[in-house]
Amino acid sequence: MQQKDKILILFDGWHLAYSPTINQLYDILSRDYDVTIVAETSKKFVDQKLPGKNVIYYECTKKKPIFIYKIYFAFLSLKNKEARILNANKIKFREYYYRFRLLKKLLQVNQFKRIIAVDIKNLFYCSLLKQRVDFISLEIGIAENLLPLIDTTLVNCVIIQSKERLNYLFKSKVFKVFFIQNAPVYKEVFYSSLKKGLLYGGTAWDPFGFYHCLEYLRIFKDETLTVNGAVPVPDRKKINNSYKDLLIDGRLIINEEYIENDDLVKYFSQFEIGFCFYNFQVKWINHFNYKSAPSGKLFKYLAAGVPVVCNDIIGFKFVTEFKCGVLIDDLSPQKINEAIKEIRNNHDEYAGNAITAAKHFSFDKAVKPYLNFIKNT
């Protein structure tokens, strides 16, 4: 039996299990290649491992006193060129070098046909190693300070969501580009006219407008909201302290069980309307990264035939174009209620349009040109 060529995917962050793009890319590539993902795990936030896939997990921060790191890095900088580059550009050793060293060791003992670097940090590491890569941009606001240090001639191609985001990162530089949304592979699900209740998918915290949804529940007492996703520990405490009445009344239902992509769409299909918000009062959310690209959960709503209520931002403009939901310019309970009323008055039309949009953005269709590119280069 012929051995498959190896592909390495370098993921940035602890949320691999909640990244539709990387999960689905892994599944599709695994048909023809031996695929490995490298990703961080975090016990401080959500430590959900990705089942059934070949993943090398690591924890970035070692339990050593800071002064030991400083001494170690000072000696390392004397003989190691990569450490000197980090030092000269005032890049934090603890945050970057440990990951870099892991990658370097991995490349020394394996021959990969292709390396896929997800987001800027991993692109930077590969640039330090003079390693050619395919670059996937999911988040553009993190580690932007590293962009001037990256040799972009090493980039085979760029996978990104829109021209606006491409221009934000690389200005006038020219690449082979594939525009792919963070969307699931569309599969037909049973559409029921008995859809009921509101849905909040994803991390339940203030940056994603979670508490605006709870304030809506406080005022409109006939509504029920189901949360499906991670709830950080501080937010779990806040819910129990400040919104316990919603839990007791059964109007706030929290489901933190991890559900795989296909099953998640089926689960979502039972709901009437989905929320996809960003709270731009949170400083780090008020960034072009969040204003220019929709999150993966939005596309899961659409694939489930669930119309959406979202912020009125660049990344959500297609919601108006497909008429698969309503965009609002603030997250007040009144504005949310107006949007819900509009959708309920025309729910069958909005739900049908959601399916149309989901088919248009289906991951398997969008990724085909990239798969052909890999095969032929």
Side-chain angles (χ1 to χ4, degrees), residues 99-129:
R99 304 182 197 191
F100 171 77
R101 188 176 62 181
L102 177 68
L103 169 59
K104 188 175 182 178
K105 184 176 180 180
L106 196 61
L107 295 180
Q108 285 172 343
V109 298
N110 292 275
Q111 289 293 323
F112 293 99
K113 172 184 171 65
R114 213 161 197 97
I115 294 176
I116 300 172
V118 181
D119 291 327
I120 296 171
K121 288 179 185 176
N122 287 315
L123 184 60
F124 170 66
Y125 303 147
C126 292
S127 182
L128 279 182
L129 291 170

PDB file of all heavy atoms in Angstrom, residues 99-129:
ATOM      1  N   ARG A  99       6.563  27.752  21.117  1.00  0.00           N
ATOM      2  CA  ARG A  99       5.824  27.239  19.975  1.00  0.00           C
ATOM      3  C   ARG A  99       6.748  27.068  18.768  1.00  0.00           C
ATOM      4  O   ARG A  99       6.663  26.082  18.032  1.00  0.00           O
ATOM      5  CB  ARG A  99       4.695  28.201  19.605  1.00  0.00           C
ATOM      6  CG  ARG A  99       3.748  28.506  20.741  1.00  0.00           C
ATOM      7  CD  ARG A  99       2.652  29.430  20.272  1.00  0.00           C
ATOM      8  NE  ARG A  99       1.971  30.058  21.408  1.00  0.00           N
ATOM      9  CZ  ARG A  99       0.858  30.733  21.309  1.00  0.00           C
ATOM     10  NH1 ARG A  99       0.286  30.865  20.138  1.00  0.00           N
ATOM     11  NH2 ARG A  99       0.295  31.279  22.356  1.00  0.00           N
ATOM     12  N   PHE A 100       7.605  28.054  18.572  1.00  0.00           N
ATOM     13  CA  PHE A 100       8.537  28.001  17.455  1.00  0.00           C
ATOM     14  C   PHE A 100       9.443  26.778  17.563  1.00  0.00           C
ATOM     15  O   PHE A 100       9.669  26.067  16.582  1.00  0.00           O
ATOM     16  CB  PHE A 100       9.371  29.280  17.411  1.00  0.00           C
ATOM     17  CG  PHE A 100      10.507  29.214  16.428  1.00  0.00           C
ATOM     18  CD1 PHE A 100      10.272  29.354  15.073  1.00  0.00           C
ATOM     19  CD2 PHE A 100      11.799  28.998  16.865  1.00  0.00           C
ATOM     20  CE1 PHE A 100      11.311  29.281  14.159  1.00  0.00           C
ATOM     21  CE2 PHE A 100      12.843  28.918  15.965  1.00  0.00           C
ATOM     22  CZ  PHE A 100      12.603  29.063  14.606  1.00  0.00           C
ATOM     23  N   ARG A 101       9.943  26.524  18.754  1.00  0.00           N
ATOM     24  CA  ARG A 101      10.849  25.389  18.969  1.00  0.00           C
ATOM     25  C   ARG A 101      10.135  24.067  18.703  1.00  0.00           C
ATOM     26  O   ARG A 101      10.703  23.122  18.131  1.00  0.00           O
ATOM     27  CB  ARG A 101      11.380  25.426  20.406  1.00  0.00           C
ATOM     28  CG  ARG A 101      12.474  24.392  20.682  1.00  0.00           C
ATOM     29  CD  ARG A 101      13.003  24.549  22.085  1.00  0.00           C
ATOM     30  NE  ARG A 101      11.958  24.323  23.075  1.00  0.00           N
ATOM     31  CZ  ARG A 101      12.152  24.425  24.389  1.00  0.00           C
ATOM     32  NH1 ARG A 101      13.340  24.773  24.861  1.00  0.00           N
ATOM     33  NH2 ARG A 101      11.167  24.203  25.224  1.00  0.00           N
ATOM     34  N   LEU A 102       8.865  23.979  19.094  1.00  0.00           N
ATOM     35  CA  LEU A 102       8.065  22.788  18.837  1.00  0.00           C
ATOM     36  C   LEU A 102       7.929  22.543  17.338  1.00  0.00           C
ATOM     37  O   LEU A 102       8.108  21.417  16.853  1.00  0.00           O
ATOM     38  CB  LEU A 102       6.681  22.946  19.471  1.00  0.00           C
ATOM     39  CG  LEU A 102       5.681  21.810  19.245  1.00  0.00           C
ATOM     40  CD1 LEU A 102       6.132  20.545  19.967  1.00  0.00           C
ATOM     41  CD2 LEU A 102       4.294  22.227  19.714  1.00  0.00           C
ATOM     42  N   LEU A 103       7.643  23.594  16.596  1.00  0.00           N
ATOM     43  CA  LEU A 103       7.503  23.485  15.154  1.00  0.00           C
ATOM     44  C   LEU A 103       8.835  23.082  14.509  1.00  0.00           C
ATOM     45  O   LEU A 103       8.874  22.198  13.638  1.00  0.00           O
ATOM     46  CB  LEU A 103       7.022  24.816  14.575  1.00  0.00           C
ATOM     47  CG  LEU A 103       7.063  24.946  13.050  1.00  0.00           C
ATOM     48  CD1 LEU A 103       6.198  23.877  12.396  1.00  0.00           C
ATOM     49  CD2 LEU A 103       6.626  26.337  12.628  1.00  0.00           C
ATOM     50  N   LYS A 104       9.899  23.713  14.933  1.00  0.00           N
ATOM     51  CA  LYS A 104      11.218  23.429  14.366  1.00  0.00           C
ATOM     52  C   LYS A 104      11.580  21.959  14.547  1.00  0.00           C
ATOM     53  O   LYS A 104      12.059  21.289  13.616  1.00  0.00           O
ATOM     54  CB  LYS A 104      12.268  24.317  15.028  1.00  0.00           C
ATOM     55  CG  LYS A 104      13.646  24.240  14.398  1.00  0.00           C
ATOM     56  CD  LYS A 104      14.582  25.256  15.043  1.00  0.00           C
ATOM     57  CE  LYS A 104      15.953  25.226  14.371  1.00  0.00           C
ATOM     58  NZ  LYS A 104      16.862  26.251  14.968  1.00  0.00           N
ATOM     59  N   LYS A 105      11.329  21.429  15.730  1.00  0.00           N
ATOM     60  CA  LYS A 105      11.643  20.025  16.015  1.00  0.00           C
ATOM     61  C   LYS A 105      10.783  19.108  15.155  1.00  0.00           C
ATOM     62  O   LYS A 105      11.259  18.079  14.633  1.00  0.00           O
ATOM     63  CB  LYS A 105      11.419  19.736  17.494  1.00  0.00           C
ATOM     64  CG  LYS A 105      11.798  18.330  17.918  1.00  0.00           C
ATOM     65  CD  LYS A 105      11.629  18.159  19.426  1.00  0.00           C
ATOM     66  CE  LYS A 105      12.020  16.742  19.844  1.00  0.00           C
ATOM     67  NZ  LYS A 105      11.853  16.548  21.314  1.00  0.00           N
ATOM     68  N   LEU A 106       9.514  19.472  14.991  1.00  0.00           N
ATOM     69  CA  LEU A 106       8.591  18.666  14.207  1.00  0.00           C
ATOM     70  C   LEU A 106       9.047  18.581  12.748  1.00  0.00           C
ATOM     71  O   LEU A 106       8.994  17.517  12.119  1.00  0.00           O
ATOM     72  CB  LEU A 106       7.185  19.268  14.293  1.00  0.00           C
ATOM     73  CG  LEU A 106       6.003  18.401  13.864  1.00  0.00           C
ATOM     74  CD1 LEU A 106       5.912  17.151  14.717  1.00  0.00           C
ATOM     75  CD2 LEU A 106       4.714  19.215  13.952  1.00  0.00           C
ATOM     76  N   LEU A 107       9.531  19.688  12.211  1.00  0.00           N
ATOM     77  CA  LEU A 107       9.977  19.721  10.823  1.00  0.00           C
ATOM     78  C   LEU A 107      11.298  18.977  10.631  1.00  0.00           C
ATOM     79  O   LEU A 107      11.583  18.478   9.543  1.00  0.00           O
ATOM     80  CB  LEU A 107      10.117  21.172  10.347  1.00  0.00           C
ATOM     81  CG  LEU A 107       8.814  21.979  10.272  1.00  0.00           C
ATOM     82  CD1 LEU A 107       9.088  23.391   9.790  1.00  0.00           C
ATOM     83  CD2 LEU A 107       7.802  21.296   9.375  1.00  0.00           C
ATOM     84  N   GLN A 108      12.084  18.897  11.688  1.00  0.00           N
ATOM     85  CA  GLN A 108      13.370  18.196  11.603  1.00  0.00           C
ATOM     86  C   GLN A 108      13.201  16.687  11.491  1.00  0.00           C
ATOM     87  O   GLN A 108      14.039  15.994  10.907  1.00  0.00           O
ATOM     88  CB  GLN A 108      14.233  18.540  12.823  1.00  0.00           C
ATOM     89  CG  GLN A 108      14.832  19.937  12.774  1.00  0.00           C
ATOM     90  CD  GLN A 108      15.530  20.323  14.070  1.00  0.00           C
ATOM     91  OE1 GLN A 108      15.325  19.696  15.114  1.00  0.00           O
ATOM     92  NE2 GLN A 108      16.344  21.366  14.017  1.00  0.00           N
ATOM     93  N   VAL A 109      12.112  16.158  12.049  1.00  0.00           N
ATOM     94  CA  VAL A 109      11.928  14.702  12.079  1.00  0.00           C
ATOM     95  C   VAL A 109      10.850  14.217  11.114  1.00  0.00           C
ATOM     96  O   VAL A 109      10.575  13.018  11.045  1.00  0.00           O
ATOM     97  CB  VAL A 109      11.592  14.220  13.507  1.00  0.00           C
ATOM     98  CG1 VAL A 109      12.732  14.521  14.462  1.00  0.00           C
ATOM     99  CG2 VAL A 109      10.296  14.849  14.011  1.00  0.00           C
ATOM    100  N   ASN A 110      10.233  15.122  10.361  1.00  0.00           N
ATOM    101  CA  ASN A 110       9.194  14.737   9.403  1.00  0.00           C
ATOM    102  C   ASN A 110       9.388  15.440   8.070  1.00  0.00           C
ATOM    103  O   ASN A 110       9.883  16.566   8.018  1.00  0.00           O
ATOM    104  CB  ASN A 110       7.799  15.102   9.940  1.00  0.00           C
ATOM    105  CG  ASN A 110       7.390  14.275  11.135  1.00  0.00           C
ATOM    106  OD1 ASN A 110       6.875  13.177  10.983  1.00  0.00           O
ATOM    107  ND2 ASN A 110       7.618  14.789  12.327  1.00  0.00           N
ATOM    108  N   GLN A 111       8.986  14.772   7.009  1.00  0.00           N
ATOM    109  CA  GLN A 111       8.980  15.372   5.677  1.00  0.00           C
ATOM    110  C   GLN A 111       7.522  15.621   5.273  1.00  0.00           C
ATOM    111  O   GLN A 111       6.762  14.677   5.045  1.00  0.00           O
ATOM    112  CB  GLN A 111       9.648  14.436   4.672  1.00  0.00           C
ATOM    113  CG  GLN A 111      11.154  14.314   4.834  1.00  0.00           C
ATOM    114  CD  GLN A 111      11.873  15.622   4.501  1.00  0.00           C
ATOM    115  OE1 GLN A 111      11.479  16.342   3.585  1.00  0.00           O
ATOM    116  NE2 GLN A 111      12.924  15.915   5.266  1.00  0.00           N
ATOM    117  N   PHE A 112       7.133  16.894   5.220  1.00  0.00           N
ATOM    118  CA  PHE A 112       5.761  17.233   4.869  1.00  0.00           C
ATOM    119  C   PHE A 112       5.691  17.721   3.422  1.00  0.00           C
ATOM    120  O   PHE A 112       6.494  18.557   3.011  1.00  0.00           O
ATOM    121  CB  PHE A 112       5.219  18.316   5.803  1.00  0.00           C
ATOM    122  CG  PHE A 112       5.053  17.853   7.225  1.00  0.00           C
ATOM    123  CD1 PHE A 112       6.019  18.154   8.178  1.00  0.00           C
ATOM    124  CD2 PHE A 112       3.960  17.096   7.601  1.00  0.00           C
ATOM    125  CE1 PHE A 112       5.882  17.734   9.483  1.00  0.00           C
ATOM    126  CE2 PHE A 112       3.813  16.672   8.909  1.00  0.00           C
ATOM    127  CZ  PHE A 112       4.774  16.987   9.855  1.00  0.00           C
ATOM    128  N   LYS A 113       4.727  17.201   2.687  1.00  0.00           N
ATOM    129  CA  LYS A 113       4.501  17.670   1.316  1.00  0.00           C
ATOM    130  C   LYS A 113       4.073  19.130   1.336  1.00  0.00           C
ATOM    131  O   LYS A 113       4.443  19.913   0.479  1.00  0.00           O
ATOM    132  CB  LYS A 113       3.415  16.827   0.633  1.00  0.00           C
ATOM    133  CG  LYS A 113       2.961  17.351  -0.731  1.00  0.00           C
ATOM    134  CD  LYS A 113       1.824  16.529  -1.292  1.00  0.00           C
ATOM    135  CE  LYS A 113       1.223  17.161  -2.546  1.00  0.00           C
ATOM    136  NZ  LYS A 113       2.172  17.196  -3.674  1.00  0.00           N
ATOM    137  N   ARG A 114       3.299  19.467   2.381  1.00  0.00           N
ATOM    138  CA  ARG A 114       2.755  20.821   2.449  1.00  0.00           C
ATOM    139  C   ARG A 114       2.559  21.222   3.903  1.00  0.00           C
ATOM    140  O   ARG A 114       2.180  20.403   4.747  1.00  0.00           O
ATOM    141  CB  ARG A 114       1.401  20.866   1.727  1.00  0.00           C
ATOM    142  CG  ARG A 114       1.143  22.197   1.065  1.00  0.00           C
ATOM    143  CD  ARG A 114       0.072  22.099   0.002  1.00  0.00           C
ATOM    144  NE  ARG A 114       0.159  23.257  -0.856  1.00  0.00           N
ATOM    145  CZ  ARG A 114       0.788  23.276  -2.019  1.00  0.00           C
ATOM    146  NH1 ARG A 114       1.376  22.175  -2.452  1.00  0.00           N
ATOM    147  NH2 ARG A 114       0.819  24.370  -2.746  1.00  0.00           N
ATOM    148  N   ILE A 115       2.824  22.490   4.171  1.00  0.00           N
ATOM    149  CA  ILE A 115       2.568  23.038   5.497  1.00  0.00           C
ATOM    150  C   ILE A 115       1.538  24.149   5.348  1.00  0.00           C
ATOM    151  O   ILE A 115       1.674  25.039   4.504  1.00  0.00           O
ATOM    152  CB  ILE A 115       3.853  23.580   6.143  1.00  0.00           C
ATOM    153  CG1 ILE A 115       4.813  22.431   6.407  1.00  0.00           C
ATOM    154  CG2 ILE A 115       3.540  24.318   7.446  1.00  0.00           C
ATOM    155  CD1 ILE A 115       6.145  22.854   6.964  1.00  0.00           C
ATOM    156  N   ILE A 116       0.497  24.066   6.157  1.00  0.00           N
ATOM    157  CA  ILE A 116      -0.573  25.061   6.142  1.00  0.00           C
ATOM    158  C   ILE A 116      -0.485  25.847   7.445  1.00  0.00           C
ATOM    159  O   ILE A 116      -0.674  25.289   8.529  1.00  0.00           O
ATOM    160  CB  ILE A 116      -1.949  24.387   6.004  1.00  0.00           C
ATOM    161  CG1 ILE A 116      -2.009  23.589   4.691  1.00  0.00           C
ATOM    162  CG2 ILE A 116      -3.063  25.423   6.063  1.00  0.00           C
ATOM    163  CD1 ILE A 116      -3.262  22.731   4.543  1.00  0.00           C
ATOM    164  N   ALA A 117      -0.171  27.121   7.339  1.00  0.00           N
ATOM    165  CA  ALA A 117      -0.022  27.984   8.508  1.00  0.00           C
ATOM    166  C   ALA A 117      -1.311  28.777   8.709  1.00  0.00           C
ATOM    167  O   ALA A 117      -1.731  29.533   7.828  1.00  0.00           O
ATOM    168  CB  ALA A 117       1.151  28.938   8.330  1.00  0.00           C
ATOM    169  N   VAL A 118      -1.942  28.578   9.861  1.00  0.00           N
ATOM    170  CA  VAL A 118      -3.186  29.283  10.173  1.00  0.00           C
ATOM    171  C   VAL A 118      -2.870  30.510  11.018  1.00  0.00           C
ATOM    172  O   VAL A 118      -2.323  30.401  12.115  1.00  0.00           O
ATOM    173  CB  VAL A 118      -4.172  28.364  10.929  1.00  0.00           C
ATOM    174  CG1 VAL A 118      -5.465  29.111  11.226  1.00  0.00           C
ATOM    175  CG2 VAL A 118      -4.452  27.103  10.121  1.00  0.00           C
ATOM    176  N   ASP A 119      -3.160  31.673  10.475  1.00  0.00           N
ATOM    177  CA  ASP A 119      -2.986  32.970  11.119  1.00  0.00           C
ATOM    178  C   ASP A 119      -1.521  33.393  11.241  1.00  0.00           C
ATOM    179  O   ASP A 119      -0.600  32.640  10.943  1.00  0.00           O
ATOM    180  CB  ASP A 119      -3.731  33.030  12.446  1.00  0.00           C
ATOM    181  CG  ASP A 119      -5.254  33.027  12.228  1.00  0.00           C
ATOM    182  OD1 ASP A 119      -5.702  33.581  11.204  1.00  0.00           O
ATOM    183  OD2 ASP A 119      -5.981  32.459  13.049  1.00  0.00           O
ATOM    184  N   ILE A 120      -1.350  34.649  11.666  1.00  0.00           N
ATOM    185  CA  ILE A 120      -0.082  35.354  11.476  1.00  0.00           C
ATOM    186  C   ILE A 120       1.067  34.757  12.273  1.00  0.00           C
ATOM    187  O   ILE A 120       2.199  34.688  11.783  1.00  0.00           O
ATOM    188  CB  ILE A 120      -0.265  36.848  11.824  1.00  0.00           C
ATOM    189  CG1 ILE A 120      -1.261  37.489  10.849  1.00  0.00           C
ATOM    190  CG2 ILE A 120       1.072  37.588  11.751  1.00  0.00           C
ATOM    191  CD1 ILE A 120      -1.686  38.891  11.230  1.00  0.00           C
ATOM    192  N   LYS A 121       0.830  34.324  13.512  1.00  0.00           N
ATOM    193  CA  LYS A 121       1.929  33.789  14.315  1.00  0.00           C
ATOM    194  C   LYS A 121       2.592  32.601  13.631  1.00  0.00           C
ATOM    195  O   LYS A 121       3.818  32.515  13.549  1.00  0.00           O
ATOM    196  CB  LYS A 121       1.433  33.378  15.705  1.00  0.00           C
ATOM    197  CG  LYS A 121       1.099  34.529  16.616  1.00  0.00           C
ATOM    198  CD  LYS A 121       0.595  34.001  17.955  1.00  0.00           C
ATOM    199  CE  LYS A 121       0.126  35.138  18.841  1.00  0.00           C
ATOM    200  NZ  LYS A 121      -0.446  34.632  20.111  1.00  0.00           N
ATOM    201  N   ASN A 122       1.788  31.684  13.133  1.00  0.00           N
ATOM    202  CA  ASN A 122       2.344  30.506  12.480  1.00  0.00           C
ATOM    203  C   ASN A 122       3.029  30.861  11.165  1.00  0.00           C
ATOM    204  O   ASN A 122       4.029  30.228  10.791  1.00  0.00           O
ATOM    205  CB  ASN A 122       1.245  29.468  12.243  1.00  0.00           C
ATOM    206  CG  ASN A 122       0.809  28.791  13.528  1.00  0.00           C
ATOM    207  OD1 ASN A 122       1.635  28.398  14.335  1.00  0.00           O
ATOM    208  ND2 ASN A 122      -0.487  28.675  13.731  1.00  0.00           N
ATOM    209  N   LEU A 123       2.504  31.854  10.476  1.00  0.00           N
ATOM    210  CA  LEU A 123       3.178  32.326   9.267  1.00  0.00           C
ATOM    211  C   LEU A 123       4.548  32.905   9.617  1.00  0.00           C
ATOM    212  O   LEU A 123       5.530  32.698   8.894  1.00  0.00           O
ATOM    213  CB  LEU A 123       2.307  33.378   8.577  1.00  0.00           C
ATOM    214  CG  LEU A 123       2.826  33.920   7.244  1.00  0.00           C
ATOM    215  CD1 LEU A 123       2.989  32.805   6.225  1.00  0.00           C
ATOM    216  CD2 LEU A 123       1.887  35.007   6.708  1.00  0.00           C
ATOM    217  N   PHE A 124       4.626  33.609  10.728  1.00  0.00           N
ATOM    218  CA  PHE A 124       5.896  34.178  11.205  1.00  0.00           C
ATOM    219  C   PHE A 124       6.904  33.077  11.535  1.00  0.00           C
ATOM    220  O   PHE A 124       8.074  33.142  11.146  1.00  0.00           O
ATOM    221  CB  PHE A 124       5.627  35.052  12.428  1.00  0.00           C
ATOM    222  CG  PHE A 124       6.861  35.502  13.147  1.00  0.00           C
ATOM    223  CD1 PHE A 124       7.761  36.359  12.544  1.00  0.00           C
ATOM    224  CD2 PHE A 124       7.128  35.068  14.430  1.00  0.00           C
ATOM    225  CE1 PHE A 124       8.917  36.780  13.207  1.00  0.00           C
ATOM    226  CE2 PHE A 124       8.261  35.473  15.104  1.00  0.00           C
ATOM    227  CZ  PHE A 124       9.156  36.336  14.487  1.00  0.00           C
ATOM    228  N   TYR A 125       6.465  32.048  12.246  1.00  0.00           N
ATOM    229  CA  TYR A 125       7.369  30.947  12.596  1.00  0.00           C
ATOM    230  C   TYR A 125       7.946  30.294  11.336  1.00  0.00           C
ATOM    231  O   TYR A 125       9.139  30.003  11.258  1.00  0.00           O
ATOM    232  CB  TYR A 125       6.638  29.859  13.400  1.00  0.00           C
ATOM    233  CG  TYR A 125       5.974  30.336  14.662  1.00  0.00           C
ATOM    234  CD1 TYR A 125       4.796  29.745  15.110  1.00  0.00           C
ATOM    235  CD2 TYR A 125       6.525  31.360  15.422  1.00  0.00           C
ATOM    236  CE1 TYR A 125       4.170  30.164  16.266  1.00  0.00           C
ATOM    237  CE2 TYR A 125       5.899  31.789  16.582  1.00  0.00           C
ATOM    238  CZ  TYR A 125       4.723  31.189  16.995  1.00  0.00           C
ATOM    239  OH  TYR A 125       4.112  31.606  18.141  1.00  0.00           O
ATOM    240  N   CYS A 126       7.084  30.055  10.353  1.00  0.00           N
ATOM    241  CA  CYS A 126       7.539  29.413   9.116  1.00  0.00           C
ATOM    242  C   CYS A 126       8.491  30.320   8.345  1.00  0.00           C
ATOM    243  O   CYS A 126       9.440  29.855   7.709  1.00  0.00           O
ATOM    244  CB  CYS A 126       6.342  29.032   8.252  1.00  0.00           C
ATOM    245  SG  CYS A 126       5.344  27.702   8.963  1.00  0.00           S
ATOM    246  N   SER A 127       8.226  31.613   8.420  1.00  0.00           N
ATOM    247  CA  SER A 127       9.135  32.564   7.768  1.00  0.00           C
ATOM    248  C   SER A 127      10.515  32.526   8.405  1.00  0.00           C
ATOM    249  O   SER A 127      11.541  32.576   7.710  1.00  0.00           O
ATOM    250  CB  SER A 127       8.550  33.977   7.843  1.00  0.00           C
ATOM    251  OG  SER A 127       9.383  34.913   7.189  1.00  0.00           O
ATOM    252  N   LEU A 128      10.574  32.423   9.740  1.00  0.00           N
ATOM    253  CA  LEU A 128      11.862  32.306  10.432  1.00  0.00           C
ATOM    254  C   LEU A 128      12.636  31.071   9.963  1.00  0.00           C
ATOM    255  O   LEU A 128      13.867  31.094   9.880  1.00  0.00           O
ATOM    256  CB  LEU A 128      11.644  32.214  11.948  1.00  0.00           C
ATOM    257  CG  LEU A 128      11.415  33.501  12.736  1.00  0.00           C
ATOM    258  CD1 LEU A 128      11.269  33.181  14.209  1.00  0.00           C
ATOM    259  CD2 LEU A 128      12.538  34.503  12.525  1.00  0.00           C
ATOM    260  N   LEU A 129      11.894  30.015   9.654  1.00  0.00           N
ATOM    261  CA  LEU A 129      12.518  28.760   9.224  1.00  0.00           C
ATOM    262  C   LEU A 129      12.725  28.684   7.709  1.00  0.00           C
ATOM    263  O   LEU A 129      13.169  27.656   7.196  1.00  0.00           O
ATOM    264  CB  LEU A 129      11.641  27.577   9.665  1.00  0.00           C
ATOM    265  CG  LEU A 129      11.587  27.322  11.172  1.00  0.00           C
ATOM    266  CD1 LEU A 129      10.504  26.302  11.497  1.00  0.00           C
ATOM    267  CD2 LEU A 129      12.936  26.842  11.677  1.00  0.00           C
TER     268      LEU A 129
END
